[in-house]
């Protein structure tokens, strides 16, 4: 990732056992040509020494805001020069401070005085992570535009297993580098559909698809990283809104179709990731249907095919479709790309992807098939967006 050269990151380390992973993270970032200025809290120095971090980065470590060696302005100078501040690991205590805008040591002051992106990699025991106070603070950080990296689930230093483990250094380095992606989609509107749709049967029941929305949300995130204006039309999901995206929440396929029609005119790229229900109930009952003695027959009528509609517009955006198949992936995917007349289709086996955090994709375009090997959905989303960039010609009739 050449574009990351000459960038400057302040790597903030707080007092948790995962601090040892910050040494590897610093090494990986330096290897990518990034200038890394480490700032540590006093507590962090109990877990890893400033000497280690200085040796890895080649720069003296900032710890004390009253250090006579600088001009007393380390917090302003460091944040002024930084392209991003990364806190890894971020303890529950430090996250609480950030959420409340406290600034009682060098690192928290530096965060408050910043004029750049702030990325936070939480690391704590599962009880601390699950505590409502921590969850409130995390929500506050997300509202404030702070990017969260992780945490992950797994075996913890305390011997328990659960959520709260810091992401591995390799993963963190990748996420940090993504912030420095060149803004190749700046000025381009990317319209996406994601998640399932819900087709009412009556007041309390409905037909839906198994879809978590994770792939669509990851693609929205990847498009945002490339500087796109992102509009995400989402069926019901339990996911957080990608920061910076405009999210239109819908329920049924008909609502999704209406929202797409309203948004599509100035879109440069359309990505249909939603698992749209192909059928809806002809006459949904306004009241709850009462149980009878015999069988019940529901009449289903087809829903509009949103992707085909967009691809068939006189001046369509560049269209990307998704296909989740349970068998004969390649045959179905090729046929689907042709039937929907779209330049790019991403296919996966449904059983390998639904609800999971990772996936593998086969991309089908005019030149053939391109395999994206198994990886987490955000990594795949970034790779898919890079493939879109290769094919997308702004202004051209796609
Ligand atoms: N799609 C859509 N509107 C629909 C159905 C599907 O926009 N009513 C989009 C999906 O978002 C996806 C692609 O079309 O990008 C493929 O959807 P899929 O359901 O797999 O294809 P279908 O054409 O419905 O074929 P089948 O269900 O028979 O596999």
């Amino acid at each position: 990732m050449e574009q990351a050269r000459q960038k400057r990151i302040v790597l903030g380390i707080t007092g948790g056992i995962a601090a040892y992973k910050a040494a590897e993270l610093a090494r990986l970032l330096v290897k990518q040509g990034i200038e890394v200025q480490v700032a540590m809290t006093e507590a962090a120095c109990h877990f890893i020494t400033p000497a280690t971090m200085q040796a890895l980065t080649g720069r003296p470590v900032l710890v004390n805001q009253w250090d006579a060696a600088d001009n007393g302005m380390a917090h302003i100078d460091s944040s002024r020069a930084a392209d991003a501040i990364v806190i890894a690991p971020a303890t529950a205590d430090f996250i609480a401070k950030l959420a409340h805008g406290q600034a009682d040591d060098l690192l928290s002051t530096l965060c408050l005085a910043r004029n750049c992106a702030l990325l936070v990699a939480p690391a704590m025991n599962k009880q601390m992570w699950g505590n409502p106070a921590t969850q409130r603070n995390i929500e506050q950080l997300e509202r404030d535009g702070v990017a969260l990296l992780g945490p992950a689930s797994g075996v913890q230093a305390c011997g328990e297993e659960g959520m709260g483990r810091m992401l591995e250094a390799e993963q963190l380095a990748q996420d940090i580098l993504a912030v420095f992606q060149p803004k190749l989609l700046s000025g381009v509107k990317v319209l996406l559909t994601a998640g399932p749709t819900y087709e009412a049967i009556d007041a309390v029941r409905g037909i839906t698809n198994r879809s978590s929305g994770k792939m669509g949300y990851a693609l929205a995130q990847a498009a945002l990283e490339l500087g796109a204006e992102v509009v995400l039309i989402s069926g019901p999901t339990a996911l957080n809104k990608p920061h910076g995206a405009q999210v239109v929440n819908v329920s049924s396929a008909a609502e999704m179709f209406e929202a797409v029609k309203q948004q599509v005119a100035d879109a440069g790229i359309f990505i249909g990731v939603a698992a749209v229900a192909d059928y809806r109930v002809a006459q949904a009952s306004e009241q709850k249907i009462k149980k009878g003695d015999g069988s019940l027959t529901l009449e289903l009528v087809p829903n509009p095919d949103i992707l085909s509609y967009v691809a068939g517009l006189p001046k369509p955006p560049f269209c990307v479709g998704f296909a989740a198949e349970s068998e004969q992936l390649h045959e179905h995917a090729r046929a689907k790309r042709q039937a929907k007349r779209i330049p790019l289709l991403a296919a996966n086996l449904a059983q390998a992807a639904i609800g999971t955090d990772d996936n593998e994709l086969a991309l089908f375009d005019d030149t053939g098939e391109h395999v994206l090997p198994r990886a987490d959905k955000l990594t795949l989303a970034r790779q898919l967006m890079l493939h879109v960039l290769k094919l997308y010609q702004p202004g051209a009739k796609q």
Side-chain angles (χ1 to χ4, degrees):
M1 290 207 192
E2 278 189 352
Q3 63 273 20
R5 295 235 164 81
Q6 331 280 279
K7 298 287 182 189
R8 186 164 198 260
I9 284 178
V10 171
L11 174 59
I13 308 177
T14 68
I17 179 59
Y20 78 93
K21 293 187 191 174
E24 175 66 358
L25 176 60
R27 193 188 67 79
L28 291 171
L29 293 174
V30 169
K31 203 169 131 200
Q32 291 290 334
I34 293 181
E35 189 183 301
V36 179
Q37 170 64 62
V38 173
M40 296 171 68
T41 61
E42 302 263 352
C45 300
H46 290 284
F47 291 93
I48 187 167
T49 69
T52 303
M53 299 311 297
Q54 176 164 346
L56 288 167
T57 60
R59 301 178 69 85
V61 170
L62 303 171
V63 179
N64 187 343
Q65 80 224 72
W66 309 117
D67 195 342
D70 71 38
N71 60 1
M73 288 286 169
H75 57 295
I76 303 290
D77 291 346
S78 300
S79 56
R80 209 179 263 153
D83 295 294
I85 300 178
V86 180
I87 310 294
T91 58
D93 177 62
F94 197 77
I95 286 169
K97 271 192 196 175
L98 287 177
H100 291 90
Q102 285 179 359
D104 61 356
D105 63 6
L106 179 70
L107 186 55
S108 53
T109 309
L110 211 143
C111 291
L112 200 62
R114 80 185 185 280
N115 184 21
C116 61
L118 176 59
L119 292 79
V120 167
M124 66 198 75
N125 153 282
K126 68 173 181 184
Q127 261 86 22
M128 293 171 94
W129 174 254
N131 189 295
T134 305
Q135 288 304 309
R136 263 200 316 276
N137 292 333
I138 290 288
E139 277 166 26
Q140 183 59 52
L141 291 190
E142 284 183 313
R143 273 197 295 276
D144 293 345
V146 173
L148 284 175
L149 310 177
S153 184
V155 179
Q156 306 196 308
C158 55
E160 289 181 324
E161 198 162 341
M163 199 67 175
R165 211 180 128 92
M166 188 167 88
L167 295 183
E168 295 306 323
E170 191 86 38
Q171 174 76 57
L172 286 175
Q174 210 182 81
D175 290 350
I176 295 162
L177 291 171
V179 172
F180 299 131
Q181 290 267 24
K183 305 301 172 210
L184 297 172
L185 284 178
S186 161
V188 177
K189 175 168 167 180
V190 176
L191 178 64
L192 302 106
T193 63
T197 64
Y198 177 86
E199 313 297 328
I201 295 173
D202 66 16
V204 294
R205 305 180 182 96
I207 300 171
T208 189
N209 273 312
R210 283 183 65 200
S211 164
S212 65
K214 284 179 184 168
M215 194 66 219
Y217 278 56
L219 274 158
Q221 172 68 33
L224 285 166
E225 287 171 6
L226 290 168
E229 177 201 342
V230 174
V231 178
L232 176 61
I233 298 174
S234 175
T237 74
L239 302 173
N240 285 324
K241 167 182 181 299
H243 182 71
Q246 182 192 337
V247 178
V248 182
N249 289 308
V250 296
S251 182
S252 65
E255 285 172 20
M256 188 172 273
F257 190 34
E258 277 315 303
V260 167
K261 282 198 277 190
Q262 281 187 18
Q263 291 283 350
V264 76
D266 54 348
I269 297 172
F270 175 75
I271 310 181
V273 200
V276 186
D278 286 330
Y279 296 92
R280 67 177 180 279
V281 178
Q283 287 285 323
S285 165
E286 278 185 25
Q287 305 304 330
K288 187 177 170 199
I289 301 172
K290 286 295 177 193
K291 184 167 53 198
D293 288 337
S295 58
L296 175 71
T297 304
L298 294 172
E299 189 196 344
L300 301 179
V301 292
N303 271 327
D305 187 320
I306 301 170
L307 179 58
S308 295
Y309 165 84
V310 175
L313 287 170
K315 279 192 78 178
F318 181 86
C319 285
V320 184
F322 265 76
E325 305 292 345
S326 58
E327 48 152 13
Q328 293 182 296
L329 180 75
H330 302 254
E331 294 73 8
H332 285 318
R334 284 206 180 86
K336 208 167 269 188
R337 188 174 89 89
Q338 290 198 332
K340 304 214 181 203
R341 286 174 297 140
I342 52 173
L344 181 62
L345 183 122
N348 62 258
L349 278 173
Q351 50 274 44
I354 290 174
T356 60
D357 286 329
D358 58 3
N359 193 5
E360 57 188 288
L361 290 176
L363 308 185
F364 295 86
D365 62 18
D366 282 346
T367 65
E369 182 184 341
H370 314 264
V371 174
L372 302 183
R374 180 160 283 277
D376 66 277
K377 288 181 177 172
L378 187 53
T379 301
L380 285 176
R382 288 179 182 137
Q383 290 169 350
L384 176 53
M385 286 312 297
L386 292 181
H387 198 87
V388 168
L389 275 171
K390 278 192 232 156
L391 305 176
Y392 168 63
Q393 292 171 307
K397 186 176 179 300
Q398 303 293 337

